[in-house]
């Protein structure tokens, strides 16, 4: 059993303070040195996400699959429904503590980007869908009696709970966990001064100082740790989608030179420039030949290029803006694929790397990340085979 007095002493080394535009934040009440344990906590709520391992998760999955509603296909629908099933079964005291003490975003809370997140809009739709289904369908409550409380909860409360889940739960070993104190740590892409580690057996979450932290300094973590080669374009997009805020750290508001695409400019003598272009102020600028092009035009030309390679399809009637949007969809799909942890073999990853490089160039973050995956997997396989 964890020593309660030691645990309380560790909690006393930090304090929670409201931060304008960030919600609550955690601040050091003493000096920490690199390698020190800053904060540790066991989850107050933890549940299995795999419907292959958990009977309730399986029933939630079946409930959504039987629905003909568009809302049931939302990317977060399964986790939202499963979370609500668990929430309404929690002890009253814990439910009150979560609803009153854990941050849930709203349009007027001052956090940048909340209302622009597509996930925020989906939460609005899904809360009404679930409320109406549970109020009108006896079969739904027969399948999921855990949702009986949803009938009286109201769509606004459901939405608040679903957004609370997105912004505060951690995932590890196929489980979702809520740490009532650790969840108040704010994110920074470039100034994270702690590293998060979860014990897969006990669920204990620890935050270790990665540099010296002075008394009064805010303690940051990186919500995206473990994913290499993320450009600010990708980081901001992912954080807005999954955590419902637009990151305003110095790394994200400065020029993004990690997200690069091949230059398509022809030089004197009809030779192609082999430089790389980055986006700045809605223009793509080549680092080599310095040619600058409006973003829509530049991306539409790249979309035509990959169509010419037979890797995408376009129609003659598509306008420049439409082709640019199609390219962004292609890029987003590839980015998602590149940080997926589920790959069948090194051969499949190598095929993906060839495809990514052909479509986005070998130096695009997606290509570099896939190359990293290949090298890491080969190295791990070599160690295993070699004993």
């Amino acid at each position: 059993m964890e020593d309660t007095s030691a645990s309380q002493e560790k909690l006393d080394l930090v304090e929670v303070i409201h931060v304008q535009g960030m919600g609550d934040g955690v601040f050091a009440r003493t000096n920490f040195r690199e390698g020190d344990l800053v904060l540790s906590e066991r989850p107050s709520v933890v549940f299995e996400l795999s419907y292959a391992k958990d009977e309730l998760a399986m029933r939630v999955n079946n409930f959504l699959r039987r629905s003909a509603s568009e809302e049931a296909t939302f990317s977060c629908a399964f986790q939202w429904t499963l979370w609500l099933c668990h929430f309404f079964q929690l002890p009253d005291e814990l439910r009150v503590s979560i609803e009153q003490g854990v941050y849930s975003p709203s349009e007027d809370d001052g956090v940048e980007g909340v209302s622009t997140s597509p996930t925020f809009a989906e939460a609005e739709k899904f809360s009404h869908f679930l409320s109406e289904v549970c109020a009108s369908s006896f079969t739904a409550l027969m399948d999921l009696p855990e949702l009986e409380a949803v009938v009286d909860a109201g769509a606004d409360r459901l939405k608040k709970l679903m957004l609370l889940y997105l912004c505060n739960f951690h995932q590890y070993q196929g489980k979702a966990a809520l740490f009532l104190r650790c969840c108040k740590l704010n994110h920074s892409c470039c100034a994270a001064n702690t590293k998060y580690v979860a014990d897969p057996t006990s669920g204990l979450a620890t935050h270790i100082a990665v540099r010296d932290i002075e008394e009064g300094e805010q303690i940051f973590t990186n919500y995206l740790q473990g994913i290499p080669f993320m450009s600010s374009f990708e980081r901001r997009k992912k954080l807005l989608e999954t955590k419902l805020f637009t990151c305003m750290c110095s790394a994200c508001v400065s020029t993004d030179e990690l997200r690069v695409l091949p230059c398509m400019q022809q030089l004197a003598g009809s030779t192609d420039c082999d430089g790389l272009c980055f986006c700045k102020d809605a223009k793509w600028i080549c680092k080599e030949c310095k040619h600058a092009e409006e973003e829509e035009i530049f991306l539409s030309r790249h979309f035509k290029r990959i169509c010419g390679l037979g890797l995408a399809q376009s129609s003659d009637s598509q306008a420049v803006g439409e082709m640019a949007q199609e390219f962004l969809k292609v890029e987003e799909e590839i980015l998602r694929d590149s940080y997926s942890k589920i790959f069948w073999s090194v051969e499949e990853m190598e095929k993906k790397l060839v495809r990514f490089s052909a479509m986005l160039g070998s130096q695009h973050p997606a290509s570099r990340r896939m190359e990293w995956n290949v090298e890491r997997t080969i190295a791990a396989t070599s160690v295993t085979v070699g004993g």
Side-chain angles (χ1 to χ4, degrees), residues 306-323:
I306 62 176
C307 288
L309 295 173
L311 300 173
Q313 293 184 336
S314 66
S315 65
D316 295 336
S317 60
Q318 280 184 306
V320 168
E322 292 174 326
M323 286 189 286

Side-chain angles (χ1 to χ4, degrees), residues 2 40-43 172 179 196-206:
E2 185 177 11
S40 66
E41 184 182 9
R42 296 189 186 280
Y172 66 92
F179 303 90
Y196 162 74
V197 180
D199 186 300
T201 304
S202 68
L204 181 70
T206 57

